[in-house]
Amino acid sequence: MKALICEGGGFKTAFTTGVLDAWICAEYVPFDIFLGVSGGAVVMASYVVEQYKRGWELVSELQSDSSLTSFSRFVKGGYFLELDLIEYIWDRITPFDEERANQLVRNKIVEFSCTDLHTGKPIFIRPEKGSDWKQYLRATSTLPVVSKCPLIIEKQELIDGAFSAPIPIQRAIDLGATDITIIRTNLDSNIWGTRWSKMMSNYLLKNNFPAINELMQKEDEIYKEISNLIKNPPNGVSIKTIVPQEMQSKVLNAKSEALKNDYRAGLEEGLDCLKKY
């Protein structure tokens, strides 16, 4: 079975959208399993129903709206990240093909990576026929403290899957995948688990969300395990990664030109992959 994994990364997923749009144009959708994390899940949703440029519409509309993030709002007691805006734009752009989505989940596996707020364990939620995909996608993007959280689905309190399963390779293997393609949004040279991020986590999360803080403290270890699994997959499992050469956009902010450049880089990388595959 073939699996596609889309890493999260906020505005960095402009690159992911470019790769996926190149594949949609070529009618290249060979996957049996789709696993998305945070922003990667949001743009992947348009790919699984083969809606060309819908993911780009969503990312670019979010970039152009300054109300997505606001430090002053946060200081005044509100949320730094306004996830309601994502749902609003989701409804405003090209309508999501719900009929096709309902047909797809009958034959394919589509899951979004989340984290249990209290235990820190990875939870994989799967939209079934008639599911509200917006709510499932919001669950995989919800952050403690900086956005309204958690999102409750089937009595589970869920937040962003990037904390516990930022690149859910093992989940793909457990589901039977033997051919795995991963679209990354972070360069291999990135250093995870910086001293600053750990200090901020201790300050913001340690008392109210200890399980999530613990994950933040060992973030670098989590990514090292992922890197080792990519380099040394189990027997019978093939793993391919699509990694940007450079990234101009940041997770929570991006200039318009930077976003366009990352999208174009994704298009080129997607076309190059088609030649290889």
Side-chain angles (χ1 to χ4, degrees):
M1 296 177 72
K2 293 179 180 289
L4 172 67
I5 298 174
C6 293
E7 184 181 15
F11 287 121
K12 292 183 177 183
T13 57
F15 172 81
T16 307
T17 301
V19 175
L20 298 178
D21 275 349
W23 291 355
I24 291 174
C25 286
E27 298 182 354
Y28 179 77
V29 192
F31 306 103
D32 308 291
I33 301 168
F34 300 86
L35 297 174
V37 184
S38 195
V42 175
V43 297
M44 186 189 76
S46 296
Y47 171 68
V48 299
V49 293
E50 298 180 56
Q51 288 187 271
Y52 174 65
K53 270 200 156 181
R54 187 179 184 278
W56 168 249
E57 279 187 77
L58 181 61
V59 172
S60 58
E61 285 287 322
L62 282 171
Q63 185 277 329
S64 66
D65 196 317
S66 60
S67 66
L68 177 64
T69 59
S70 172
F71 184 71
S72 63
R73 183 174 61 215
F74 181 63
V75 171
K76 293 175 183 177
Y79 295 106
F80 174 74
L81 181 63
E82 185 50 81
L83 293 181
D84 286 346
L85 181 64
I86 297 178
E87 292 191 30
Y88 169 71
I89 292 177
W90 175 278
D91 289 332
R92 192 176 70 188
I93 61 174
T94 302
F96 181 65
D97 192 339
E98 294 184 2
E99 182 178 351
R100 188 160 190 168
N102 286 332
Q103 294 173 349
L104 179 89
V105 295
R106 295 173 182 170
N107 305 309
K108 307 279 187 177
I109 296 173
V110 181
E111 290 188 347
F112 306 132
S113 173
C114 298
T115 302
D116 186 293
L117 180 64
H118 301 292
T119 67
K121 300 295 184 182
I123 303 291
F124 298 94
I125 54 177
R126 184 182 301 188
E128 304 291 347
K129 180 180 178 182
S131 296
D132 183 354
W133 282 52
K134 283 187 300 183
Q135 288 298 298
Y136 281 72
L137 293 169
R138 180 161 182 159
T140 187
S141 305
T142 298
L143 298 170
V145 180
V146 299
S147 72
K148 190 187 300 180
C149 92
L151 197 73
I152 301 175
I153 293 181
E154 296 178 1
K155 299 182 180 180
Q156 295 176 308
E157 296 186 82
L158 305 175
I159 61 170
D160 200 313
F163 290 104
S164 59
I167 307 178
I169 301 172
Q170 189 58 55
R171 178 60 175 176
I173 294 172
D174 291 344
L175 290 171
T178 55
D179 186 342
I180 302 171
T181 299
I182 307 169
I183 303 179
R184 301 289 307 273
T185 52
N186 294 292
L187 309 180
D188 288 338
S189 59
N190 278 8
I191 299 174
W192 293 97
T194 64
R195 183 179 179 183
W196 172 251
S197 68
K198 291 181 179 181
M199 288 175 59
M200 287 302 296
S201 176
N202 271 327
Y203 177 71
L204 295 172
L205 305 176
K206 187 174 183 179
N207 293 328
N208 294 324
F209 308 106
I212 306 306
N213 180 59
E214 184 178 347
L215 289 173
M216 286 295 294
Q217 299 308 311
K218 60 180 184 180
E219 185 181 20
D220 47 353
E221 298 174 25
I222 292 173
Y223 272 90
K224 284 178 183 177
E225 291 178 5
I226 291 170
S227 179
N228 289 334
L229 187 54
I230 291 173
K231 294 175 182 176
N232 303 287
N235 290 334
V237 176
S238 169
I239 299 178
K240 298 184 284 288
T241 58
I242 300 172
V243 185
Q245 298 302 308
E246 60 179 345
M247 185 65 69
Q248 297 185 21
S249 302
K250 306 298 182 183
V251 174
L252 292 177
N253 65 81
K255 293 182 178 180
S256 178
E257 194 59 32
L259 206 70
K260 291 176 182 177
N261 289 339
D262 289 337
Y263 175 72
R264 294 188 192 107
L267 284 172
E268 292 181 7
E269 193 65 38
L271 292 173
D272 287 345
C273 288
L274 290 173
K275 294 178 182 177
K276 296 176 185 177
Y277 300 161

